[in-house]
């Protein structure tokens, strides 16, 4: 909250967020982000392109302009999906007051004070988790949470799966147009808290944004489920990231990144060895006393050898882990 408030009070941060979102979405059809006039923007003043359109909340004006509401819902769903799963950077305040419908039926967004970010690991977690929910694989949902480290390793898979079933079945039992993924996420976070899941601010921000988007979708077309409209994008994204070829590509990329760390680790190892050679190794007082009290010189050398082997073992394990990753 402190960071969000700081970003909202310094308009240079907001301008930077708008500029980043504009560059991310510049080739996407249907959503427009106004450009920033950097020459007239400072900490207290932000100057952006003027938007000429109808506020999304003005339903009478939209109907008078003969706007295709279903098309707007499709645009909103696609834009949200691309921001979250393609770019990992999304507008987190998508209420009707921040959205305008331009003359060419393009949606334009303003007010970039609250933005959200999720990394690739979280993207994969969300995709796998939602996919498992849609398949009603509640044990899979539980294992995904455990593997992601969101809940302790000793969590009972069966009990967590039962809790997931309890929140999902009532939601999925509704007509398609009434299914709320945002509600599902919100209840999941509450249940997960019972299983000692720590608060994930980025996920709460995402859930809030999904709820706003669903509200916009229902305002425009109550009988349409916006997530159903995104199904082709979801299928394409899953193919790109979950296929065997994609997994191999990702593993190779991670391996190359890990190999880049090897020179640094070797340098650290040299530094440790240099400290040991120069007397910089710190031993526990009990160990030092035991070594001093030993009358057997070979015992002292044995102790030093064991310490050296342990240190070498640690280094080798680190190197092995980096290569394997």
């Amino acid at each position: 909250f402190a960071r969000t408030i700081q970003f909202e009070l310094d308009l240079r941060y907001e301008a930077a967020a708008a500029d980043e979102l504009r560059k991310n979405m510049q080739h996407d059809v249907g959503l427009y982000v106004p450009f920033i006039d950097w020459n007239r923007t400072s900490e207290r003043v932000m100057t952006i392109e003027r938007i000429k359109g109808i506020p999304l909340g003005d339903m009478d004006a939209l109907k008078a302009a003969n706007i295709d509401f279903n098309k707007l819902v499709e645009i909103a769903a696609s834009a949200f999906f691309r921001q979250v799963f393609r770019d990992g950077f999304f507008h987190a305040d998508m209420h009707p007051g921040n959205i305008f419908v331009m003359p060419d039926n393009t949606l334009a967004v303003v007010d970039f004070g609250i933005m959200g970010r999720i990394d690739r690991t979280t993207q994969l977690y969300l995709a796998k988790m939602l996919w498992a929910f849609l398949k009603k694989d509640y044990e899979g949902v539980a294992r995904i949470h455990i593997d992601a480290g969101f809940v302790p390793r000793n969590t009972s898979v069966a009990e967590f799966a039962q809790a997931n079933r309890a929140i999902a079945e009532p939601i999925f039992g509704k007509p398609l147009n009434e299914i709320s993924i945002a509600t599902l996420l919100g209840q999941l976070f509450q249940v997960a808290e019972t299983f000692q899941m720590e608060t994930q601010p980025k996920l709460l921000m995402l859930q809030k944004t999904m709820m706003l988007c669903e509200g916009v979708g229902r305002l425009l077309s109550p009988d349409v489920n916006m997530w159903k409209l995104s199904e082709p994008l979801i299928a394409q994204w899953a193919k790109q990231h979950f296929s065997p070829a994609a997994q191999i590509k990702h593993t190779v990329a991670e391996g190359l990144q890990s190999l880049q760390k090897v020179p640094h680790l070797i340098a650290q190892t040299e530094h440790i060895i240099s400290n040991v050679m120069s007397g910089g190794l710190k031993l526990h007082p009990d160990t030092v006393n035991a070594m001093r009290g030993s009358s057997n010189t070979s015992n002292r050398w044995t102790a030093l050898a064991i310490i050296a082997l342990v240190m070498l073992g640690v280094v080798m394990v680190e190197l092995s882990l980096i290569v394997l990753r």
Side-chain angles (χ1 to χ4, degrees), residues 237-255:
W237 191 89
K239 182 179 179 180
Q240 290 177 346
H241 291 83
F242 294 150
S243 67
Q247 294 295 329
I248 292 173
K249 181 180 178 181
H250 176 61
T251 301
V252 170
E254 284 191 333

Side-chain angles (χ1 to χ4, degrees), residues 84-88 118-127 237:
V84 173
F85 288 100
R86 184 191 64 189
D87 306 324
I118 58 173
D119 54 30
R120 188 179 185 280
T121 300
T122 306
Q123 288 174 335
L124 293 175
Y125 152 76
L126 282 169
W237 191 89

